[in-house]
Amino acid sequence: MTDTAARALAYVQPFETGRAQDRALLGGKGANLAEMMRIGLPVPPGFTLTTRACNAYQAAGRALPEGLWPQVLCELDALQSKMGKTLGDPDDPLLVSVRSGAAVSMPGMMDTVLNLGLNRRSVVGLARRTGDERFAWDCLRRFVQMFSNVVLGLDMHAFELRLEAARRRAGVQTDAELSAEVLRALVDDYEAEVRRQSGAPFPDDPLAQLKAAVCAVFDSWGNARAVIYRQLHQIADDLGTAVNIQAMVFGNMGGDSATGVAFTRDPNTGEARFFGEFLVNAQGEDVVAGIRTPQPIALLGSAMPAAYEQLRDTCALLERHYADMQDIEFTIERGRLFMLQCRSGKRAPGAAIRIAVDLADEGKITRAQALLRVNCDDLTRSMHTRLGPFPASQQLVRGQPASPGAAVGRVVFHPEKAVQFKAAGETVVLMRPETTPDDIAGMVASVGFVTSRGGTTCHAAIVARGMGKPCVVGCEGLAIDLQTGIALCGDRQVREGDVVSLDGGEGVVAWGEAPVVFAAPTAQFATLLGWADDVRGLKVRANADNPPDARRARGLGAEGIGLCRTEHMFGQGGHHPERMAAVQRMIVADTREERVAALADLKPMQRDDFVGIFEAMDGLPVTIRLLDPPLHEFLPTDDQVAALQATDAATAHRLRRKKAQLHETNPMLGFRGVRLGIVFPEIYRMQVEAIFEAADHAASRGVAVRPEIMIPLVGDVAELRLMRDMVIEVAADLGVHVPYLVGTMIEVPRAALVAEALAGPAEFFSFGTNDLTQTTWGYSRDDAEVGFLAHYLTHKVLAENPFVALDQAGVGQLVKMACEGGRRGRPGLKLGICGEHGGEPSSIAFCASLGLDYVSCSPLRVPVARLAAAHAALRAAGQHASASAV
Amino acid sequence: MTDTAARALAYVQPFETGRAQDRALLGGKGANLAEMMRIGLPVPPGFTLTTRACNAYQAAGRALPEGLWPQVLCELDALQSKMGKTLGDPDDPLLVSVRSGAAVSMPGMMDTVLNLGLNRRSVVGLARRTGDERFAWDCLRRFVQMFSNVVLGLDMHAFELRLEAARRRAGVQTDAELSAEVLRALVDDYEAEVRRQSGAPFPDDPLAQLKAAVCAVFDSWGNARAVIYRQLHQIADDLGTAVNIQAMVFGNMGGDSATGVAFTRDPNTGEARFFGEFLVNAQGEDVVAGIRTPQPIALLGSAMPAAYEQLRDTCALLERHYADMQDIEFTIERGRLFMLQCRSGKRAPGAAIRIAVDLADEGKITRAQALLRVNCDDLTRSMHTRLGPFPASQQLVRGQPASPGAAVGRVVFHPEKAVQFKAAGETVVLMRPETTPDDIAGMVASVGFVTSRGGTTCHAAIVARGMGKPCVVGCEGLAIDLQTGIALCGDRQVREGDVVSLDGGEGVVAWGEAPVVFAAPTAQFATLLGWADDVRGLKVRANADNPPDARRARGLGAEGIGLCRTEHMFGQGGHHPERMAAVQRMIVADTREERVAALADLKPMQRDDFVGIFEAMDGLPVTIRLLDPPLHEFLPTDDQVAALQATDAATAHRLRRKKAQLHETNPMLGFRGVRLGIVFPEIYRMQVEAIFEAADHAASRGVAVRPEIMIPLVGDVAELRLMRDMVIEVAADLGVHVPYLVGTMIEVPRAALVAEALAGPAEFFSFGTNDLTQTTWGYSRDDAEVGFLAHYLTHKVLAENPFVALDQAGVGQLVKMACEGGRRGRPGLKLGICGEHGGEPSSIAFCASLGLDYVSCSPLRVPVARLAAAHAALRAAGQHASASAV
């Protein structure tokens, strides 16, 4: 058997033989430890149990597969030789860490055990060898506690109480002040607690400890919080995790020892400054757990200048090596630096953009790479909110800004409460002394987090940045009493259910509801989108119904309006009661004459709206959809009609009769869209007149007007022909001179099926994928999303909500057929999409693959659409490149 | 120019040069006159103005196109030479008839002028030459009256009044008794009336008369009743009509002259007997108009034996020549027979079947031709109803059976009233002294006709047979007074709005509502369908939900059940209150346990239904659809819940809450079909258990059971997999031994689009084209058909209702894709259709073209589907034959 073949079958692999590329097999942590060792960085030796081992373990029904343990023992022998120490040796014991590491980083989701190999015999040897009895007992104390927690699964509260009692008895504030004597007694205490809870003594055989720890890591792949994390981040359940067994180095060996985490750039802002935190005389878990508030990394420079310099150089090297911002863990043992982990650092959405742009500007990556480094969710989240001005008296507390964005919600102190409040429809802010991986469900349910302890690399901060939720940490002015459910802040009391506002970019928490405004986009945001515009082929338009939205959209880069809905101009949405009144007169009209008179009242208002929109979109196309909703949507509710009865019985009667007449069993499949235009041609005629009159008016003032008149809900070419003839007739009657197009929405399956015929009269198609999804699936969106579709998604009957991501296998096939048919009917037919999918990245990529001319989305989605279109172009070019390489 | 080329450009063509095949150019009447002349039958000479002339006339804006009139004059010259008479000659005038004749027979729809060429000068010559002054003035009187009506468009009522006054003055009952003197005075009277109404003298120039008559025929192509007829029979508006100008022969030249119509077989029953009617001393219009009741044709044998024998021989020759039953018009002028028209005779639906089968049995046509001779509408109508037994006292009157079938409705005496009543939702029977072509709209609106005058070839009888509506004519015991709106019948009075029942096969009218039952199919019906079964490839199943329907379907030839809906077994439809109660308990259940308990109550009832159906379908497949409708359909109405409030407030509350919870905006796109099966698996599980238990029970009694379990409304393969797994699990749990299939309905577009994947778990597809049409078009059937779709059909936006005939361009494309995809996924996949289109001929032909295995339709449609499937096979073979011939 060759070396490679042997390794392929092996479950265990020493760090020396791995590389960064092996992350699927070794997990991210193991692969990066191997890589760091390969490029000569100071990494304590060790070996990795592969993800293959984990999967074999799961396949064997949570049992170590045959051959695994002998391989572990063999690598352990090699490690013992390297270190010159033996696990459990009463004279000079080897201690190891056992840490999980999946292929995809899952911070805080998996379990870690440090100091493994200690027991009551070897602790003596450790004390003798290090000359530090207190250190040795501290290690054993930590080990028993951590092992009891993550491997034995015991309740930690009892251990904390015993630790607290020990501090109280000793009259000290921190664990670091506890003497060797006290720690030894505490270990006795802990072991009694283990026996009390588990009915068995604490395992003192180091190999038994190791085996149990390995199994615990493998088991933790299936624990609830890991499963939730994977669901949240759409990570496959069958990747498995690796286990890293590594010789311990000690940051808790006194004042010349330390441990910390660092980022090569600020993960919160993306700023190119060395960033991190450390604790002197501590082990790694102390930093991440947020129990002690660590010191900023810059202070390490004065405390341990040589180690600090080496750390900075190492970090710079790693960033160059990986061509990305790195998140590292280090330990300084008696002045000597050890690297314990490196990985691409999680970063706040805005930071992701800044880092990508800066790395490209620094020549470390290409612009294309920079574009691909920023995912669309990050871009969306980077368009974060902040708190607007509020009175100083409203300020509750300041803390550290840990994840930008503003949030307003009701305070809860317990993660379970967050879930309950959310289920009841409340918006909640989770307020905790600190958060732990067990809180993940509550964090998912909250819109923001506030912690009284921890720094900007604590658990809450990391999770918040990952989720793109606002977070303020280390609010030292906040005293949270979880028992009473009261947080004291100066002389104010915050109780569950109170409303607070937070700004995670500023690190401030306010009392009550403060104004939330959009933050101005950064320079890097604009730069990145400029690069996106350079590579994308797909144009991006916006859906906008009024001049302010049109202006906002143009400011965000919209290249036209893809959907201007005219129903809002008819008063739908409640903003224009005078229009609604005219519309109702039009609907209850018994004769064509009455209807025409009511429409005449509406026309000037519609015309003025169109003038404003044309001006805002000077030089760009504006697609206007003629009236779409069923008329009954414009009638007052039954209660409103009943209220009218007393004052105007005749109108109430007319309204009631008309409501009965217009009632539909399935309004979604009802009397709307072009069907209105055909049965009541005067409605569409009025709208077309308003459009052309507005266009001529704007054109006369020097505006370049490009109206595109869109007929909704067409299913047969005859419908479209009638409407197109009407538009042409109106244009001729009015003597219109502006260029215009007439086209149709494709939003029922039949339109897609007869697209070739539709392309005769249609100069453009616009896919209304919301309705097309409803009709193709036979799902009434409003009903389904709170009904069976919610069940389908929860129970994974469907992997994705087809109203969110365009269903490429079904709806997408109709879109594709319509594109092909339409182009057969009219070569060069203009094609766009204006459903909500037009702002969703996977859908945009699909649209790009079909060669659509544009997508249209809500104004705030325009930047995302620009980036997604660039991603699609780059990926297609990449595939093209690799295809031609073959 | 060759002769053919010249003829191709000609607008006019003498009878001698035409053939039966030229009907598109010469119209049916002209082509058949030419054909009869060609085979040597006695046809008065004449010539035809072609349909091309008509179209040129219409294209010229209702003006004679250049060159037409000179051609007419040229042919008229030739006719004058042949006859040795000249139009308008004061000594021996030629008289001609001017008659319309379109390519497609439109009886009564177009206008005819007889005796053209007469005026005050030539009438003297006619009298002298015929030696019959009375005859000559009778001709002139008829001509002035007819010309005034159809060419000048004057009001006939005034003419009738003057005729009546003349009869009164002369003291006679009939026109035939009026003397030459009286007729001459009547012509004076008529001419005065013409001047009074038109302000101009009656045109006395024969050529001016001829030109005006030709134009009137061309104009009549566009008159209202012709347009309605074409709409009704889907005849293109641009075919145009020809005009036949033919030398007059006279049935009104005394007691040795007669005129009549005859059918080579009985058009009412199809019996092979010479059938017809004649009037002595009359002109053709007298017979058809139904004003005088004519004599049965057999009596002609005794009155004019030689002419009768010649007529019978000629008819037999024509039937052999055309290989079809012929409808002919003849005139006997002083003992000499002339043939004035022949055409394939209209016949009652049952007669169509009998004639086709008899002609094939007689060796005159092949069986394939016989099948193609009977259209599906005829077959449907032949399955006509009759009145069941009713008390003798209920009988109102007897008349002649003119068109079979039973009808019950409210009496109206005026066609306009029929239209009004119909629009108000009433079912009406039109009762008239006689009907005329002007009554066509009212006849369309009525379910049956009763006339007091006329024979079985009168207008009402012809139209009724064409429409397949029941008709009783010649009810001499019925005295209808149109002025008072009362029909006297013995001592009974029938008034507008009274309900009557009629049986057009028996020729009886009953007072009030008599029972209506289905007539037993004839032997020919069974024979024809047997031939259909021999040629068709497509199987025919029925949609049936209970044992009686299943037995009925099998009796009509169903080869299995294609759709057994289980919702009726759940009490939907109101037949099973005890089931409905259990279903409601199931729906309002708050826990799965309660639900399961309620379902357990339903299971035995479902099981018993299935046993009965399996027994009825012994040896044949039964496709059972699991529960499809939304649960709220099973809950009581708001009013019912309100009624419950007093007696059981708790249940009322539960029901109200559940109704609110299950309310859907668009139930058609809602929580139904497989969605129920996934969210409440216990419902489908109960149904599957009931199916398998019933199957095993029936099998144990020797029944060959072939259940096919069908999952409705599937849109994604995951849904189907879950349900299929459940079925397999139930089968395993119960230890089922009968062979069974699991398949899916294709009724939302997405199912068609992902058909290849669905064919993995599906062993069959059944197209639910009702829902597929709703979702593909975005039409809510119940809303649309009374709303915008009705408007679309009336205004011809759509040519056909897609819920009636499968929309091949749209829905049909999805069906085609699903067939192709399904067969890719599972070669040999069983394919069927169970929407209502499964019983519609054009849809069946489409299904056959896709190679579906079967169609399934309502039991009563099974015979039609068998015939339509045979038609499809024959036409495909015909196309194949002509394709291979090329």
Side-chain angles (χ1 to χ4, degrees), chain B residues 32 139 147 176 187 199 244 252 337 383 386 392 403 422 438 454 515 537 554 709 719 773 785 820 832 851 865:
Chain B
N32 285 332
C139 286
F147 191 92
V187 168
N244 299 290
N252 54 343
L337 175 73
M383 296 171 68
R386 58 179 180 80
S403 179
K422 169 81 185 298
D438 286 327
R554 189 164 197 166
I709 296 173
E719 297 172 307
T773 299
E785 284 196 325
E820 292 166 355

Side-chain angles (χ1 to χ4, degrees), chain B residues 692 726-736 740:
Chain B
F692 283 141
M726 181 274 290
V727 172
I728 290 171
E729 189 185 303
V730 171
D733 286 355
L734 296 178
V736 167
Y740 68 90

